[in-house]
Amino acid sequence: MAIKMVGFDGDDTLWRSEDYFAQAQATFESIVAPYVELRGDALHARLYEVEKRNLAVFGYGVKGMALSMIEAAVDITDARIDANAIHRIVQLAQSMLQHPVELLPGIREAVERVASRWPVVLITKGDLFHQEAKVRESGLSALFRRIEIVSEKDVPTYARLLEELGVEPHEFAMVGNSLRSDIAPVVALGGWGVHVPYHLTWVHEREAGLCDPTRAEAIGDASQLHAALASIERRCAAAETAAE
């Protein structure tokens, strides 16, 4: 078979995540609202500016978001925000870290079907402790040959993982909701992608383009996943035959 391994993203591909971040952002805005006149897109932009700047320091996930929210709250309010409001931001992060894992519709059946044909691995990024808890609570861990929690999902990270897994890029397909983290780096290496858009996507994860759009397929939901991978495999086989 042309495809020898399939990778899956975690957040917003297997289970809900961005919904909770969006709710947290709305709560953050209600906390700082009494102190500032900023609203809507302007406030979103100020928070994202701080979050993006801090990614290299705090990394991805709830804890990094909470620290960025605290920094942004102090900055936006010119340090007028009080200790009770800061405490509410901390409590907001605690509630997110304790939120039950909710699998997306049909995902268990989809992963099981894919795993019956191809070896599957989980490649997810974020806070190690939180991601480990999500994987454990998802009930899906037994389906994966390997589980990798990384700090960033870029070309060097995928290249290292594929080398460790003994898989050539053209033999690998990655499934995920983020063009930036799940699809673009794999396609850049010569691999394949199946993009499963989620109804909410953090602006940072939308900042990407594909060097070769023909190496990625977009699907509407998990029920179409097996067919998309089979289509990619047929295309690979056809290309190999034509090259002989």
Side-chain angles (χ1 to χ4, degrees), residues 150-165:
V150 297
S151 58
E152 184 60 274
K153 293 164 79 173
D154 52 16
V155 169
T157 298
Y158 281 107
R160 172 182 62 80
L161 290 176
L162 292 179
E163 183 177 3
E164 292 177 1
L165 292 165

Side-chain angles (χ1 to χ4, degrees), residues 96-119:
M96 291 179 67
L97 291 169
Q98 296 166 0
H99 204 285
V101 172
E102 182 182 354
L103 294 182
L104 296 181
I107 198 64
R108 180 184 297 278
E109 295 78 10
V111 176
E112 288 175 345
R113 189 178 182 197
V114 171
S116 70
R117 180 167 178 177
W118 300 278

Side-chain angles (χ1 to χ4, degrees), residues 14 76 91 105 111 118 126 137 153 160 177 185 191 207 234 238:
L14 301 181
I76 292 169
Q91 290 177 317
V111 176
W118 300 278
E137 294 171 20
K153 293 164 79 173
R160 172 182 62 80
N177 72 294
E207 297 174 353
R234 287 193 297 271

Side-chain angles (χ1 to χ4, degrees), residues 60-211:
Y60 296 89
V62 174
K63 296 173 186 176
M65 176 212 69
L67 290 169
S68 291
M69 281 185 172
I70 291 171
E71 180 182 345
V74 173
D75 179 53
I76 292 169
T77 66
D78 294 324
R80 289 180 292 107
I81 195 164
D82 63 29
N84 287 332
I86 296 296
H87 188 226
R88 287 179 62 194
I89 296 175
V90 174
Q91 290 177 317
L92 179 61
Q94 290 173 333
S95 68
M96 291 179 67
L97 291 169
Q98 296 166 0
H99 204 285
V101 172
E102 182 182 354
L103 294 182
L104 296 181
I107 198 64
R108 180 184 297 278
E109 295 78 10
V111 176
E112 288 175 345
R113 189 178 182 197
V114 171
S116 70
R117 180 167 178 177
W118 300 278
V120 296
V121 296
L122 174 61
I123 305 173
T124 188
K125 73 178 179 183
D127 176 76
L128 177 62
F129 184 83
H130 194 203
Q131 289 295 323
E132 285 180 336
K134 289 182 180 182
V135 172
R136 182 173 60 252
E137 294 171 20
S138 73
L140 300 175
S141 58
L143 297 174
F144 297 105
R145 298 284 185 92
R146 181 162 167 174
I147 296 171
E148 287 285 340
I149 300 171
V150 297
S151 58
E152 184 60 274
K153 293 164 79 173
D154 52 16
V155 169
T157 298
Y158 281 107
R160 172 182 62 80
L161 290 176
L162 292 179
E163 183 177 3
E164 292 177 1
L165 292 165
V167 178
E168 294 295 326
H170 68 273
E171 300 170 331
F172 180 76
M174 184 68 186
V175 180
N177 72 294
S178 169
L179 285 174
R180 181 189 185 107
S181 296
D182 303 320
I183 310 301
V186 173
V187 168
L189 284 169
W192 303 87
V194 179
H195 184 215
V196 195
Y198 194 59
H199 72 100
L200 287 174
T201 302
W202 185 31
V203 61
H204 186 72
E205 297 297 341
R206 299 196 298 265
E207 297 174 353
L210 300 182
C211 63

Side-chain angles (χ1 to χ4, degrees), residues 36-52:
V36 297
E37 296 182 358
L38 287 174
R39 296 290 187 275
D41 292 343
L43 189 50
H44 294 170
R46 290 289 295 274
L47 176 57
Y48 177 58
E49 179 184 343
V50 176
E51 287 182 300
K52 187 174 183 178

